[in-house]
């Protein structure tokens, strides 16, 4: 018996990007645990990733190439060889590549966050073809855009500092479910006397454990931030020295905030004026006393029409009170902008002969059904799906299914399991899991470059994404030297070695240790130096004005609400949000039997008053519907959902739901105010008992 321990990294779409130790006995992974020496992981893994071996060795793994033999959506396939699969794909793609390359579309997102298995060799392949570009906006672009206008880039408070804060606002997130290692830091801060405040329409597991919970209406976060500004300015809870030295546009902001009295804010947000006052004073007085006040803002805030503006408004708050002076103060949305990743080299944008059109992944339902036109270009005739499950995750799901059901659409899916999207594939290619391939990672919740070493040989005939696209490039006749580079050669260039932040980066050293912290200041904006055009925190943004946006913090009401669409609200009076279920990660892990058993079955949380008016009892099946579609699940009558709100924890594979549908049947393809992102939480519905 030979036993080894391999250093790995969690690949999933989570801020924690954990360092992992994999025990391997005679070529079999027998234990997955967190690296106790990695400062943020601290030896702890979430329930999902601690069962990664169960997922890797699942009897449901796709291990061989497949060809469809049934109708699209039926999920009936026969096994074929790799040569047959590659020849079939090349035969379909070559004529398109020669005549109308934009008819070919990649569809991918963050099934893996790895710089190699995510978008390296794959993008080289599509750039060489001249395929349509994919606007990868489905998770974070609205908030990232609003944050960038204000702060200058995705840089913020180091997660390791939050435990030293005296006040933490957890705004639009449920870190117990989706950011465990931040929550560990927040709990430590709480033990040291810090106050925790949750700002969330839903009383989540996290909100239940905070000192204060502000249950505002979905999509009103921007208004609450403006109300806080009003009180901070009116009551003198400001750091004028920091404002004078390191901000731009305070006088204009002061005029705008004057409009947002606590009473107006409370009316818009569906809370009380006293709550606005209490929160503003708690935040301002903590900072005024010289104590660190920190905000952890998450992506739930930005999945509405005005989501980008909401994050922008929140990002203004630390500069008003001087919270950036402290390492444990400020705000964190994402740390990804801290990393000097070498994406242009990894993806080789220079292979493009001309700039192709861009198709937004959020509007895939409409775009797959769109005919050729001078404005749109050629109809989409081939889609290659990898690291994504669009049939489950994309909004307005009935249109997505109709698009993928087109008989003239050639669809290839690279996957580990037979997801909803695989059921619509013409060719399925088996992909490796994180235990079976090499990768390099950045993070968006901490400041460590990470290495993933393969722990075991690929199961069956599964191949890494990088190798699959190398093989496809060869079948297409592409002989560019870049398609011959190995994964280790790619990883060695994953970060720019000439950047001081990645000082002493060396791939061989990184994969031996597993992680290396960036060279970043503890308090990145203590003395200003924001990466904005002005070098300051921009309350007034000339860039926004140039882009046709309001240059000052503002409130943009939801697309669907009683205020903006009263007729629609009369027909569909309940707001619906669909945040992540604790035991799933987007649509990943839904098929792991032990995790699905823990999660139970699809359900909808509804307030007792809303349930009573509809004669709905706890545990009964209900139908949730609007003009876009409907789905069925079990009702949980609970005051965790505020009145007027229903909550469907997501994202279930449709095939595992009672009616073969999930929450995205009722979400829309409308986009956010900035960043071209989806509005999943900007949805009105009606709910009725299933008789």
């Amino acid at each position: 018996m030979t036993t080894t321990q391999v250093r790995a990294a969690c690949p999933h779409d989570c801020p924690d990007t954990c360092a992992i130790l994999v025990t391997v006995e005679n070529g079999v992974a027998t234990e997955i645990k967190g690296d106790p020496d990695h400062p943020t992981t601290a030896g702890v893994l979430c329930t999902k990733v601690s069962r990664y071996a169960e997922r890797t060795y699942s009897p449901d793994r796709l291990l061989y190439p497949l060809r469809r033999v049934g109708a699209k959506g039926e999920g009936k396939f026969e096994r074929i060889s790799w040569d047959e699969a590659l020849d079939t794909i090349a035969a379909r793609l070559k004529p398109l590549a020669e005549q109308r390359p934009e008819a070919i579309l990649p569809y991918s997102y963050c099934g893996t966050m790895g710089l190699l298995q995510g978008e390296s060799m794959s993008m080289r392949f599509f750039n060489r073809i001249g395929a349509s570009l994919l606007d990868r906006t489905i998770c974070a672009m609205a908030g990232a855009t609003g944050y960038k206008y204000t702060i200058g880039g995705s840089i913020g408070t180091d997660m390791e500092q939050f435990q030293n804060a005296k006040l933490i606002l957890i705004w639009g997130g449920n870190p117990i479910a989706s950011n465990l290692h931040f929550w560990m830091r927040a709990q430590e801060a709480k033990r040291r006397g810090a106050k925790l405040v949750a700002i969330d329409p839903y009383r989540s597991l996290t909100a239940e454990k905070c000192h204060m919970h502000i249950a505002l209406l979905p999509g009103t976060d921007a208004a609450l931030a403006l109300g806080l500004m009003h009180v901070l300015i009116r009551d003198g809870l400001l750091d004028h020295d920091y404002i004078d030295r390191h901000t731009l546009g305070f006088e204009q902001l002061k005029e705008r905030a004057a409009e947002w009295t606590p009473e107006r804010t409370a009316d818009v947000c569906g809370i009380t004026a006293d709550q606005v006052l209490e929160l503003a004073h708690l935040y301002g007085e903590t900072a005024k006393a010289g104590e660190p006040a920190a905000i952890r803002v998450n992506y739930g805030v930005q999945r509405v029409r005005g989501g980008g503006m909401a994050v922008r408004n929140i990002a203004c708050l630390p500069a008003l009170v001087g919270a950036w002076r402290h390492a444990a103060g400020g705000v964190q949305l994402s740390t990804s902008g801290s990393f000097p990743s070498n994406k242009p080299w990894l993806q080789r944008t220079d292979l493009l002969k001309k700039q192709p059109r861009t198709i937004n992944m959020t509007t895939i339902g409409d775009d797959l059904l769109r005919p050729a036109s001078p404005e749109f270009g050629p109809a989409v005739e081939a889609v290659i799906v990898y690291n994504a499950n669009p049939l489950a995750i994309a909004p307005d799901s009935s249109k997505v299914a109709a698009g993928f059901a087109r008989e003239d659409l050639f669809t290839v899916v690279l996957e580990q399991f037979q997801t909803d999207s695989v059921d619509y594939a013409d060719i399925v290619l088996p992909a490796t899991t994180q235990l079976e391939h090499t990768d390099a990672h950045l993070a968006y919740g901490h400041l460590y470059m990470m290495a993933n070493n393969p722990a075991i040989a690929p199961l069956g005939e599964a191949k890494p994404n990088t190798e699959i696209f190398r093989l496809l490039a060869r079948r297409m006749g592409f002989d560019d030297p870049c398609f011959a580079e190995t994964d280790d050669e790619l990883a060695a260039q994953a970060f720019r070695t000439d950047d001081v932040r990645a000082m002493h980066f060396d791939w061989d050293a990184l994969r031996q240790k597993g992680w290396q912290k960036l060279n970043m200041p503890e308090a990145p904006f203590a003395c200003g130096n924001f990466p904005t055009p002005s070098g300051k925190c921009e309350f007034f943004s000339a860039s926004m004005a140039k882009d046709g946006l309001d240059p000052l913090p503002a409130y943009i009401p939801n697309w669907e609400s009683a205020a903006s669409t009263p007729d629609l609200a009369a027909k569909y009076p309940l707001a619906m949000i669909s945040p992540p279920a604790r035991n799933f990660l987007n649509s990943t892990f839904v098929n792991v039997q032990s995790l699905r058993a823990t999660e139970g079955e699809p359900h909808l949380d509804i307030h007792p008053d809303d349930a009573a008016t509809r004669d709905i009892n706890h545990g009964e099946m209900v139908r949730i519907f609007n003009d876009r579609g409907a789905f069925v699940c079990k009702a949980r009558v609970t005051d965790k959902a505020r009145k007027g709100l229903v909550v469907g924890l997501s994202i279930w594979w449709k095939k595992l739901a009672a009616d073969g549908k999930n929450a995205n049947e009722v979400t829309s393809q409308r986009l956010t105010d900035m960043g071209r992102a989806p509005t999943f939480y900007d949805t009105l519905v009606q709910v009725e008992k299933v008789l």
Side-chain angles (χ1 to χ4, degrees):
M1 166 132 355
T2 58
T3 301
T4 58
Q5 195 171 70
V6 179
R7 293 190 176 276
C10 176
H12 294 293
D13 188 4
C14 168
D16 296 35
T17 314
C18 291
I20 295 173
L21 299 178
V22 184
T23 300
V24 181
E25 296 181 358
N26 285 351
V28 176
T30 57
E31 184 182 26
I32 311 289
K33 65 180 183 180
D35 184 348
D37 296 326
H38 183 233
T40 61
T41 304
V44 178
L45 296 179
C46 69
T47 304
K48 301 178 281 285
V49 177
S50 63
R51 300 182 187 181
Y52 206 83
E54 178 185 345
R55 184 174 185 273
T56 298
Y57 291 111
S58 168
D60 298 329
R61 272 288 299 275
L62 296 173
L63 299 178
Y64 306 98
L66 303 172
R67 175 169 51 212
R68 178 170 62 89
V69 294
K72 289 197 172 187
E74 283 187 341
K76 294 181 179 178
F77 299 94
E78 64 180 3
R79 179 178 169 180
I80 58 175
S81 69
W82 269 100
D83 282 338
E84 287 178 281
L86 295 168
D87 287 343
T88 301
I89 296 167
R92 292 294 296 267
L93 296 188
K94 277 183 177 179
L96 294 176
E98 292 168 1
Q99 299 165 24
R100 44 189 184 281
E102 289 177 314
I104 300 170
L105 175 69
Y107 194 99
S108 65
Y109 199 61
C110 294
T112 175
M113 299 289 287
L115 293 170
L116 277 61
Q117 307 305 334
E119 306 298 344
S120 65
M121 201 59 68
S122 58
M123 285 308 302
R124 294 180 179 192
F125 177 77
F126 292 114
N127 287 336
R128 176 66 174 76
I129 286 175
S132 289
L133 299 176
L134 183 72
D135 205 4
R136 293 177 171 85
T137 65
I138 206 160
C139 180
M141 278 304 296
T145 303
Y147 194 88
K148 184 176 181 180
Y149 279 131
T150 310
I151 302 297
S154 294
I155 300 170
T157 309
D158 184 349
M159 186 176 82
E160 293 179 34
Q161 293 291 337
F162 274 92
Q163 67 193 36
N164 300 317
K166 291 303 178 186
L167 171 67
I168 302 176
L169 308 188
I170 301 172
W171 204 321
N174 180 17
I176 288 178
S178 59
N179 194 183
L180 176 63
H181 295 82
F182 160 76
W183 179 245
M184 291 165 58
R185 302 277 175 171
Q187 286 290 86
E188 177 59 26
K190 185 179 180 182
R191 284 190 287 271
R192 297 179 183 184
K195 287 194 173 181
L196 307 185
V197 179
I199 304 170
D200 191 327
Y202 179 59
R203 196 172 78 243
S204 66
L205 293 170
T206 299
E208 288 183 335
K209 291 178 170 56
C210 290
H211 297 95
M212 183 189 302
H213 175 212
I214 308 293
L216 75 180
L217 289 167
T220 62
D221 303 87
L224 178 57
L226 283 163
L228 297 181
M229 293 178 200
H230 176 99
V231 177
L232 293 171
I233 295 168
R234 185 195 70 184
D235 295 353
L237 299 171
L238 302 175
D239 185 332
H240 287 288
D241 179 67
Y242 194 92
I243 291 169
D244 292 344
R245 291 173 182 268
H246 305 308
T247 73
L248 182 70
F250 174 70
E251 290 304 320
Q252 296 101 312
L253 175 67
K254 186 176 179 180
E255 289 184 24
R256 178 62 59 85
E259 304 167 9
W260 284 90
T261 64
E263 291 74 23
R264 180 188 177 189
T265 302
D267 183 61
V268 169
C269 296
I271 57 178
T272 68
D274 285 344
Q275 287 178 299
V276 179
L277 286 165
E278 182 181 6
L279 181 59
H281 275 266
L282 181 60
Y283 185 66
E285 289 169 6
T286 299
K288 196 85 168 175
E291 301 283 8
I295 302 173
R296 176 65 171 106
V297 58
N298 218 317
Y299 293 114
V301 167
Q302 48 106 71
R303 294 190 173 121
V304 294
R305 180 190 179 191
M309 187 64 81
V311 172
R312 164 166 166 68
N313 293 5
I314 295 165
C316 290
L317 295 171
L320 283 173
V321 301
W324 286 117
R325 295 185 187 276
H326 303 278
V331 61
Q332 187 196 96
L333 173 70
S334 168
T335 60
S336 60
S338 304
F339 290 83
S341 59
N342 201 2
K343 289 183 179 179
W345 182 87
L346 288 171
Q347 300 178 11
R348 291 294 302 272
T349 52
D350 59 295
L351 293 170
L352 287 169
K353 295 181 176 65
K354 65 173 186 176
Q355 188 68 18
R357 70 179 174 190
T358 298
I359 290 178
N360 193 317
M361 68 186 305
T362 300
T363 60
I364 189 67
D366 282 342
D367 290 333
L368 286 182
L369 298 172
R370 208 180 296 275
S373 70
E375 298 76 25
F376 181 63
V380 177
E381 297 180 57
V383 182
I384 292 81
V385 178
Y386 56 104
N387 300 334
N389 183 11
L391 270 296
I393 67 164
D396 205 351
S397 196
S398 62
K399 287 188 177 179
V400 180
F404 275 99
R406 283 172 39 203
E407 279 299 327
D408 62 330
L409 179 71
F410 180 64
T411 302
V412 178
V413 179
L414 285 60
E415 251 300 349
Q416 299 157 357
F417 296 95
Q418 191 168 337
T419 63
D420 293 331
S421 299
V422 167
D423 289 344
Y424 286 80
D426 295 289
I427 297 292
V428 182
L429 301 177
T432 47
T433 68
Q434 189 77 341
L435 299 188
E436 301 159 274
H437 56 230
T438 297
D439 219 330
H441 290 258
L442 52 72
Y444 66 94
H446 61 68
L447 297 173
Y448 290 86
M449 297 177 288
M450 310 286 287
N452 184 76
N453 296 289
I456 60 174
L459 301 185
E461 295 179 8
K463 298 182 186 298
N465 289 349
T466 46
E467 181 61 17
I468 291 173
F469 283 104
R470 286 189 194 98
L471 294 172
L472 285 171
R474 197 174 306 152
R475 279 302 202 284
M476 294 288 288
F478 302 159
D479 57 4
D480 309 67
C482 69
F483 292 110
E485 288 170 342
T486 67
D487 284 2
D488 277 328
E489 289 172 327
L490 293 173
Q493 299 294 324
F495 299 100
R496 297 199 313 274
T497 54
D498 62 341
D499 194 298
V500 68
R501 291 172 292 176
M503 189 180 295
H504 309 307
F505 164 69
D506 175 82
W507 172 241
D508 288 333
L510 183 64
R511 66 181 178 180
Q512 285 180 17
K513 186 175 182 180
W515 40 272
Q516 176 187 328
K517 192 168 188 179
L518 295 176
N519 181 32
M520 290 284 291
E522 279 194 343
F525 306 127
C527 299
N529 299 315
F530 292 88
T532 55
S534 66
K536 299 181 177 184
C537 178
E538 296 195 351
F539 300 146
F540 179 93
S541 169
S543 298
M544 293 182 72
K546 183 180 177 181
D547 293 339
L549 300 166
D550 190 330
L552 288 167
Y555 168 61
I556 302 170
N558 279 6
W559 289 112
E560 300 184 6
S561 68
S564 53
T565 51
D567 291 343
L568 187 71
K571 188 177 180 182
Y572 302 116
L574 297 172
M576 190 192 86
I577 61 174
S578 46
R582 183 175 187 177
N583 293 286
F584 306 152
L585 204 164
N586 300 324
S587 74
T588 305
F589 296 103
V590 182
N591 64 310
V592 176
Q593 180 60 43
S594 62
L595 294 171
R596 194 166 71 251
T598 302
E599 193 62 35
E601 60 185 305
H603 54 257
L604 185 84
D605 285 359
I606 183 170
H607 190 274
D609 291 353
D610 294 322
T613 60
R614 292 161 177 81
D615 192 29
I616 293 169
N617 298 306
H618 186 86
E620 292 181 331
M621 297 300 289
V622 293
R623 177 175 176 262
I624 304 95
F625 64 97
N626 58 22
D627 291 340
R628 288 179 289 271
F631 68 104
V632 171
C633 64
K634 186 169 286 188
R636 292 197 311 196
V637 179
T638 171
D639 62 3
K640 288 185 176 183
R642 59 162 291 158
K643 190 175 179 180
L645 174 76
V646 292
V647 181
L649 299 180
S650 295
I651 302 172
W652 283 82
W653 289 11
K654 295 198 291 185
K655 68 172 71 178
L656 298 176
D659 60 343
K661 297 178 180 179
N662 70 14
N664 280 322
E665 295 292 326
V666 298
T667 56
S668 85
Q669 296 180 70
R670 288 196 186 99
L671 301 180
T672 51
D673 55 336
M674 57 187 84
R676 310 166 307 283
T679 55
F680 289 115
Y681 300 173
D682 191 335
T683 301
L684 289 179
V685 299
Q686 181 58 287
V687 179
E688 64 184 9
K689 183 190 295 191
V690 174
L691 300 175

